Amino acid sequence: MHSIAAPQTTDEPSDPGIDSLVDGFDRPIRTLLAVWAHPDDETYLGGGLAAEVASRGGRVVNVTATLGEHGDPRPTPSPPAELARRRSAELRRALDRLGVDGSIVLGYVDGSCDRVPEAIASRRVATIIDDIRPDAIVSFGPDGVTGHPDHCAVSRWARRAVMERGDGIPLLATASGAAWPADLVDRMHEVEAFWPHHPRRTIDGPVRRLELSGRRLDQKMAALDAHRSQIGPLQNALGPSGYRRLAAVEAYRPANPAAHDLLGVARQRTAA
């Protein structure tokens, strides 16, 4: 493990902005811990939230399980070690553009997270929680949005780590797959952005769908642009307008009772 220092353009303008999510929290978020699988997850799925918390003077710490060294979308992939170096640099640039304070890379092999013993990986996340002492945590839901096995494994690690610490830290799960515009999801299927039967388009329980706009959306777009090794297929499939519409949407749901309280929604049984 090592550390490195570190919107209305859509079809549904009635959705509230990311600032309304943070405004509505039942407590200040002075430290947000984000737990993801690969470089670029943090920006696509939670970039607006991270930037909003950071802009209010909060500390945001980003955990990335792998460097995505096997995730080269080009016909002739780079050697894994070379791509890992490139994606590490891209991650640093993206986090800097979001205003994120720090990053922790767990160093697992890309594509192997579902084979890492859950008890070991969740213990590493728990150690980070004990060190960072976050006011809230954001990660994947059980479906991993795209269905990627690494995403689903990281969701389990985060959930177990929070549960083993008494389940008192609010855990937010991204629900972007249920919130992205349907026409964009259809085009994403054409470039095989999802595992079979994903994304889940309906989610049990409350989901906060949000729109980024203006400077916050521009900030997220700049962070996405840092991930140059990854963004080409989606940009080509969606076109400039569609890609911006995708980036503008973020969605979150409570993954534990404390997150219901954070969001100010009635508690109910959660599956995450």
Side-chain angles (χ1 to χ4, degrees), residues 2 7 13 38 42 45 50 64-65 73 86 88 129 131 136-137 144 153 161 197 201 207-208 211 252 272:
H2 63 278
H38 312 105
E42 81 294 329
L45 302 176
T64 308
R86 181 175 181 184
S88 178
I129 292 171
D131 181 48
I137 300 171
H197 313 298
R201 298 296 285 165
V207 174
R208 293 288 304 277
E211 293 277 349
Y252 301 95

Side-chain angles (χ1 to χ4, degrees), residues 97-217:
R97 293 174 185 181
L98 293 173
V100 170
D101 302 279
S103 172
I104 298 169
V105 178
L106 298 180
Y108 289 117
V109 175
D110 184 23
S112 77
C113 292
D114 62 330
R115 299 189 296 277
V116 175
E118 186 177 310
I120 293 174
S122 65
R123 192 176 306 125
R124 294 185 69 185
V125 175
T127 299
I128 294 167
I129 292 171
D130 291 342
D131 181 48
I132 299 301
R133 301 183 67 183
D135 299 297
I137 300 171
V138 62
S139 188
F140 303 100
D143 63 316
V145 180
T146 65
H148 193 301
D150 283 355
H151 295 191
C152 299
V154 169
S155 170
R156 293 192 296 271
W157 302 350
R159 185 69 185 99
R160 179 166 175 168
V162 172
M163 288 183 67
E164 290 180 350
R165 261 127 196 85
D167 218 14
I169 304 170
L171 176 61
L172 298 175
T174 178
S176 294
W180 284 326
D183 64 309
L184 300 183
V185 171
D186 288 344
R187 280 186 263 171
M188 292 166 76
H189 276 295
E190 294 173 4
V191 293
E192 299 182 340
F194 305 111
W195 260 242
H197 313 298
H198 289 79
R200 289 178 58 190
R201 298 296 285 165
T202 58
I203 300 283
D204 293 334
V207 174
R208 293 288 304 277
R209 184 189 192 277
L210 306 150
E211 293 277 349
L212 280 68
S213 63
R215 284 182 293 180
R216 186 67 70 232
L217 178 55

